[in-house]
Amino acid sequence: MSIKGKAYIVGAYEHPTRKAPDKSVAQLHAECAAGALKDAGLTKDDIDGYICAGDAPGMGPINMIDYMNLTKIRFMDSTDVGGSSYLLHVAHAAQAIALGRASVVLITLAGRPRSEGQATGTAPRAGNPLVPDTQFEQQYAAVTGNGYAMVAARHMYEYGTTSEQLAWIKVAASHHAQYNEHAMLRDVVTVEDVVNSPMVATPLHRLDCCVISDGGGALIVTSPEIAKSLKRPLVKVIGAGESPKGQLGGMVDLTYSGAVRSGAAAWAESGVKPADIKYASIYDSFTITVLMQLEDLGFCARGQGGKFVSDGNLISGVGKLPFNTDGGGLCNNHPANRGGITKVIEAVRQLRGEAHPKVQVPNCDIALAHGTGGMLGTRHGSATLIMERE
């Protein structure tokens, strides 16, 4: 069954805080839910489906459903594929709606890594000894930064990609973040600023890394009938795809990601192609993440990502493909170290015409959001979502 046109995103809310030492994770989830409901013009009593991931405290959705006193739930899901979870959740919500199992689905994310003192690029991929890969990898003390640096180094070796080319991704994000009052990093930076910032893990510099922030976000997905009864611009889900990628039985290839398959599925279902996309929200845990996803999603050929992102090509009003016009994870917000939901939120803003006037894409009628969860250097999930303004 295709989900094309079967569901609409009617509520989107990004929590304004970037540091919340006085709030619990559950409270942040609830505040995000309230914000999305207000945005949609609905109440909690309208919700009959709820989806969360591993950032939510408790036993899957059970504790949060109880905490928020959602009394009419007949569909729930707690699929967790890291930062890509929330794009996949939109697709799962659309599937449930298409099957008649729900009509108003709430999706939430929240966390407090900044208040808990986490440093850039250092989150350990620590392991449960029962997880099959742990015994082979934990002794090498892999952390997020060096996992992505390994991928960047390989891309540079294979295709001649440079640190300066990667830096253009941060530059573009900073040009957008200057207009976002909530962004953690609002100063516009140059290529020189990025390549001269301290090295975190060769070849990635500090400014190649995303911010670490508290906060969260929420989305409301509904049936077409409910969406058309509300007083909000109509944002229709027209295509989605999901895919894992791992170590492939030892046949490791660091030059591509699961986006190759998740993107292909989304393009096929939506019936559109990369040239049709007016705006793209691309997961930006690191600059290399963006470059690889652009290649894998078909915006440019493999190995050509460095040239594609250079010279301001991702800057709204300047380049051919405006991306992450809120500043993205590189400058604005990466709540709970899981930036997928913010990618959908900004895409919704663009399709509604509600992005900041300085970065709003004219006549934005088709947008893409893509998420990556896990680590490109080992195993990860990819999820792609294509949306259309009706």
Side-chain angles (χ1 to χ4, degrees):
M1 173 187 289
S2 173
I3 62 170
K4 184 176 182 179
K6 301 292 178 61
Y8 290 68
I9 301 173
V10 302
Y13 178 79
E14 180 182 6
H15 204 292
T17 191
R18 300 295 180 263
K19 190 170 184 179
D22 58 338
K23 297 179 185 290
S24 69
V25 173
Q27 183 180 354
L28 289 169
H29 273 272
E31 290 178 1
C32 290
L37 285 167
K38 182 178 179 181
D39 179 61
L42 296 167
T43 73
K44 74 177 185 66
D45 292 330
D46 295 310
I47 298 169
D48 60 0
Y50 176 67
I51 310 180
C52 62
D55 57 280
M59 185 173 60
I62 301 300
N63 295 79
M64 287 308 306
I65 287 171
D66 189 36
Y67 179 82
M68 293 189 288
N69 194 27
L70 304 178
T71 59
K72 297 183 179 179
I73 299 299
R74 56 193 179 102
F75 168 78
M76 54 188 176
D77 184 1
S78 59
T79 302
D80 191 353
V81 285
S84 59
S85 299
Y86 315 91
L87 295 97
L88 183 146
H89 289 169
V90 173
H92 287 195
Q95 291 165 5
I97 289 167
L99 290 170
R101 296 180 60 197
S103 56
V104 179
V105 180
L106 167 67
I107 303 164
T108 65
L109 166 145
R112 303 174 62 255
R114 188 179 179 198
S115 289
E116 293 164 7
Q118 188 176 118
T120 299
T122 61
R125 294 292 175 180
N128 179 333
L130 300 179
V131 175
D133 48 83
T134 297
Q135 60 184 312
F136 300 102
E137 297 176 7
Q138 189 172 14
Q139 62 266 37
Y140 297 106
V143 297
T144 307
N146 61 34
Y148 280 79
M150 189 166 57
V151 175
R154 189 68 195 182
H155 206 278
M156 290 178 171
Y157 174 80
E158 292 282 353
Y159 305 118
T161 307
T162 67
S163 291
E164 288 76 13
Q165 289 173 330
L166 287 177
W168 271 107
I169 298 169
K170 179 75 167 196
V171 171
S174 74
H175 273 267
H176 299 150
Q178 67 178 311
Y179 303 113
N180 183 349
E181 64 177 322
H182 300 303
M184 284 184 65
L185 304 178
R186 296 186 66 187
D187 292 339
V188 174
V189 300
T190 65
V191 169
E192 291 72 24
D193 291 332
V194 179
V195 298
N196 290 327
S197 63
M199 191 69 74
V200 171
T202 307
L204 296 178
H205 301 82
R206 180 183 293 167
L207 293 183
D208 286 300
C209 307
C210 67
V211 300
I212 289 177
S213 56
D214 299 347
L219 298 163
I220 306 287
V221 185
T222 73
S223 66
E225 295 76 18
I226 290 176
K228 292 173 183 179
S229 73
L230 303 173
K231 299 177 181 179
R232 302 299 285 131
L234 293 172
V235 175
K236 179 168 57 178
V237 178
I238 62 171
E242 59 191 68
S243 175
K245 180 172 180 273
Q247 298 292 285
L248 305 174
M251 301 297 290
V252 179
D253 185 343
L254 299 177
T255 65
Y256 75 95
S257 73
V260 169
R261 291 188 294 275
S262 69
W267 297 126
E269 183 169 45
S270 67
V272 303
K273 54 188 183 299
D276 298 319
I277 299 298
K278 302 290 182 60
Y279 165 79
S281 283
I282 306 293
Y283 203 91
D284 55 345
S285 48
F286 296 86
T287 51
I288 185 61
T289 319
V290 176
L291 187 146
M292 284 187 61
Q293 309 314 293
L294 290 171
E295 292 181 355
D296 294 343
L297 291 167
F299 288 104
C300 60
R302 188 176 303 182
Q304 297 301 305
K307 294 179 182 178
F308 185 83
V309 303
S310 296
D311 302 320
N313 196 43
L314 301 181
I315 300 175
S316 184
V318 175
K320 294 180 180 178
L321 183 67
F323 103 120
N324 297 10
T325 45
D326 59 343
L330 287 168
C331 294
N332 170 36
N333 189 18
H334 194 235
N337 297 319
R338 293 164 168 259
I341 205 165
T342 60
K343 299 297 167 278
V344 182
I345 292 168
E346 184 66 6
V348 170
R349 291 189 190 115
Q350 282 285 351
L351 289 168
R352 288 174 168 179
E354 296 174 353
H356 192 284
K358 293 288 188 179
V359 299
Q360 175 67 50
V361 176
N363 304 312
C364 185
D365 57 350
I366 303 179
L368 173 145
H370 179 81
T372 304
M375 189 151 59
L376 287 183
T378 54
R379 57 199 58 79
H380 61 271
S382 293
T384 309
L385 192 66
I386 300 175
M387 295 150 281
E388 180 180 35
R389 183 188 68 223
E390 186 174 293

